[in-house]
Amino acid sequence: AYKDKQRIIIYGDYDADGITATAVLWEALYLAGFDVIPFVPHREDHGYGLKPQGIDTAIEKHGKPDLIITVDNGIVAFEGAEYCKKLGIDLLITDHHVAKTDQGEKEIYPPAKAVIHSTQTAGAGVAYLFTKEILEYFEVNYTEQTLDSLLELTAIGTVADIVPLLSVNRSIVKIGLELLTRTQRPGLRALFTEAGIDPNTILSTYHIGFIIAPRINATGRLDHCLDSLRLLCTQDESRAIKLALDLGSINKQRQDLTFESVTNALKVPKENHEDKKIIVAVSEDYNPGVIGLVAGKLVEQFYKPAIVIAEMGEVAKGSVRSIWGVNIIEMLRTFEEDFLELGGHPMAAGFTIETKNISKLTKKLEKLAEEVIDNNLLTPTLEVETEIELADITQDLFDTIETFAPFGASNPHPVFSTQAIAVAKVQTVGKSKQHLKLFVHKNSSPSFEALFFSGGYLAESIKAGDTVDLAYQISVNEWNGNKKLQLVVKDIKSVA
């Protein structure tokens, strides 16, 4: 492809991992002198992954390529791979999703010139490592700043896809976060500003996972994610500002839509799932772009694997979120013949199914869940590192804890507990008074503010003068340039 100046299309995905992976590989190949164009499918028009309809659209827009390279998809794209073969298009797959296996558990790959596959990192991580090899192999004249800039995007994709922050992922995110604090990408700087983040002050996996990634994701959920890709890659300051504002606005729409869909899903009669080990919510009113978020909210509420299905006429789309210990993609693949499309991870999956088969699939999954999910897994637990006293909480302790950052999947922020704490004052905070703030102390220890997110409902039962046991994380609250240690409450128990 390089020698003959062949046309290459990078075939991406519409979530934050896929978008960042697309940007990483496109920028690197472009720098190396390849004739390369990025293409990202539309969630509703093309579906997930390498599909004939997506390939046709890419050809209509950009002409027939000689080579297609997938990022963050393709490992189960047998139909798409065969279609490439039929059209005489070479295919190279880079992906991190779980591959299909044969009876002997040997991985089976779609027909391609090459497959670069690892489940140990995110799609952006696979693309980044592949990119480094390309730049070195073709002896491209690049600087350390070039790789740093690509690593910034890789860190965002890695956090967004909630892969374990251990080993290579820890390195990517730890170094990537440091680089993001001084990023030269106009799009990221504009997005930080729009989101109210000052990266020079503090930037953590929380800011990426809960503030930045949702904005990048929002365009692909409600329309087409091309503007997110443009934002990441643009060198135009004014265009970056406009795109960042657009992403913020679309994210607000996504939040409102998610709230409506979650409200709808929570109306599923409790008796329909309280004696079952898996939740299935189906409606023609769900927007397919937010069903994954709705499934996540149901897991939070009921602590069971949740499947949310949007009916769209004869065909329906489903999104699944699981709990630790329940390999959801393995369960779903037990009934692979019932799906039109299926892919995912142990913790999350997506599928397409004929609407008429939803009821049959639901019964099968409920029966399988009853057989394979241990009741103990359905009880949420909170792992406490150790019990300490409030007097032990110092800046030195906080600084030591921070050396274990970045925190995330498989490397959670440590939780501590303290018993018999005195409550001096109780407040509710937040726009809807949904959060609980306690002012607490013990013996001669300093007083601390303890914030319990979504705990406002406890304001009726906890009063000044009460004694409580707390499980909490230690954080820093920064306001107007002042910093002070605070407790972020994870659980609370009144002491009689």
Side-chain angles (χ1 to χ4, degrees):
Y2 183 79
K3 184 178 66 177
D4 297 338
K5 298 295 181 186
Q6 292 181 355
R7 167 63 55 91
I8 299 173
I9 286 180
I10 296 170
Y11 197 104
D13 187 31
Y14 38 66
D15 68 0
D17 185 21
I19 295 166
T20 53
T22 302
V24 165
L25 192 54
W26 174 73
E27 288 189 0
L29 289 183
Y30 185 79
L31 178 66
F34 285 87
D35 178 9
V36 59
I37 294 173
F39 173 82
V40 187
H42 187 283
R43 186 185 294 265
E44 292 187 35
D45 294 347
H46 306 129
Y48 168 77
L50 185 70
K51 297 282 175 50
Q53 54 268 40
I55 295 168
D56 285 341
T57 300
I59 291 172
E60 287 168 18
K61 286 188 173 183
H62 307 299
K64 181 182 171 184
D66 300 284
L67 170 65
I68 287 177
I69 306 176
T70 70
V71 288
D72 194 33
N73 76 87
I75 204 65
V76 294
F78 290 87
E79 183 187 12
E82 290 292 349
Y83 193 63
C84 285
K85 204 171 174 183
K86 177 184 171 185
L87 296 177
I89 300 171
D90 289 338
L91 176 64
L92 195 161
I93 293 170
T94 79
D95 197 4
H96 75 118
H97 291 91
V98 178
K100 285 188 177 181
T101 56
D102 61 15
Q103 298 289 336
E105 295 300 303
K106 180 183 176 183
E107 291 186 339
I108 306 168
Y109 300 133
K113 289 288 184 183
V115 176
I116 299 172
H117 175 240
S118 171
T119 57
Q120 301 303 304
T121 186
V126 175
Y128 175 77
L129 295 169
F130 178 42
T131 287
K132 287 189 68 177
E133 296 296 326
I134 290 171
L135 294 177
E136 289 174 18
Y137 180 85
F138 289 101
E139 298 179 345
V140 178
N141 184 21
Y142 66 91
T143 65
E144 188 176 332
Q145 285 72 29
T146 301
L147 279 181
D148 286 351
S149 184
L150 297 178
L151 191 59
E152 293 170 9
L153 299 181
T154 306
I156 292 174
T158 303
V159 173
D161 222 52
I162 321 179
V163 294
L165 293 191
L166 305 171
S167 187
V168 65
N169 298 326
R170 174 176 168 81
S171 299
I172 287 170
V173 176
K174 185 172 180 62
I175 299 168
L177 285 173
E178 294 169 3
L179 295 170
L180 281 165
T181 63
R182 52 184 186 275
T183 181
Q184 295 304 302
R185 288 183 178 270
L188 290 180
R189 291 205 306 267
L191 200 57
F192 290 150
T193 299
E194 187 280 329
I197 296 173
D198 179 1
N200 298 314
T201 305
I202 185 170
L203 189 66
S204 67
T205 50
Y206 170 82
H207 297 96
I208 300 301
F210 292 93
I211 301 174
I212 296 303
R215 284 165 164 76
I216 296 172
N217 275 328
T219 54
R221 293 190 183 282
L222 301 189
D223 189 17
H224 199 290
C225 66
L226 204 52
D227 275 351
S228 293
L229 182 62
R230 289 177 178 130
L231 174 84
L232 297 181
C233 298
T234 186
Q235 293 300 312
D236 186 313
E237 298 275 357
S238 58
R239 191 182 193 210
I241 292 169
K242 181 184 183 305
L243 286 169
L245 292 172
D246 288 345
L247 263 62
S249 174
I250 293 169
N251 188 54
K252 179 65 171 64
Q253 295 174 40
R254 188 273 308 166
Q255 289 173 324
D256 294 341
L257 195 58
T258 302
F259 178 79
E260 292 171 11
S261 296
V262 169
T263 302
N264 183 329
L266 289 175
K267 289 178 183 175
V268 175
K270 201 172 179 184
E271 58 269 20
N272 285 7
H273 64 77
E274 65 180 352
D275 61 341
K276 298 181 175 69
K277 295 182 178 180
I278 195 167
I279 297 171
V280 181
V282 186
S283 175
E284 60 183 15
D285 295 328
Y286 295 146
N287 183 302
V290 300
I291 53 177
L293 301 174
V294 177
K297 293 293 184 184
L298 290 176
V299 172
E300 286 179 20
Q301 183 88 2
F302 300 106
Y303 206 72
K304 297 177 181 180
I307 301 175
V308 178
I309 302 174
E311 294 181 330
M312 302 180 299
E314 294 181 0
V315 173
K317 291 197 174 183
S319 194
V320 194
R321 297 294 181 269
S322 193
I323 58 175
W324 290 110
V326 178
N327 188 328
I328 200 66
I329 189 64
E330 189 177 273
M331 286 182 63
L332 292 169
R333 283 189 174 158
T334 306
F335 312 113
E336 192 141 18
E337 70 281 356
D338 292 333
F339 299 101
L340 298 173
E341 300 168 346
L342 172 65
H345 307 280
M347 291 296 290
F351 61 80
T352 305
I353 189 172
E354 290 186 77
T355 302
K356 65 182 181 182
N357 291 332
I358 293 173
S359 178
K360 179 178 70 171
L361 175 69
T362 300
K363 289 173 183 173
K364 286 182 179 179
L365 282 170
E366 288 174 347
K367 183 174 183 296
L368 181 63
E370 191 62 39
E371 294 169 359
V372 302
I373 299 177
D374 191 292
N375 281 323
N376 292 330
L377 294 173
L378 300 176
T379 302
T381 58
L382 182 64
E383 184 174 337
V384 174
E385 298 294 337
T386 188
E387 185 175 333
I388 62 175
E389 295 299 331
L390 293 186
D392 297 325
I393 301 174
T394 63
Q395 187 64 45
D396 283 346
L397 174 61
F398 176 79
D399 292 342
T400 300
I401 292 169
E402 285 301 296
T403 63
F404 293 91
F407 301 111
S410 298
N411 184 38
H413 200 295
V415 175
F416 302 99
S417 68
T418 303
Q419 296 185 9
I421 296 175
V423 177
K425 187 179 177 182
V426 180
Q427 290 181 351
T428 52
V429 295
K431 191 174 181 181
S432 306
K433 304 295 183 184
Q434 71 272 37
H435 308 307
L436 182 72
K437 181 187 279 189
L438 305 177
F439 294 81
V440 298
H441 63 92
K442 184 175 180 181
N443 302 327
S444 58
S445 72
S447 177
F448 288 95
E449 291 182 10
L451 189 61
F452 192 6
F453 290 104
S454 301
Y457 66 95
L458 290 171
E460 297 280 324
S461 54
I462 297 177
K463 305 293 182 187
D466 286 354
T467 301
V468 296
D469 296 342
L470 291 183
Y472 55 86
Q473 296 168 343
I474 304 169
S475 71
V476 168
N477 180 25
E478 184 167 341
W479 182 254
N480 286 339
N482 297 316
K483 295 182 181 181
K484 63 178 178 179
L485 296 175
Q486 69 174 6
L487 314 182
V488 177
V489 177
K490 308 309 289 182
D491 202 3
I492 186 168
K493 182 171 74 173
S494 295
V495 179

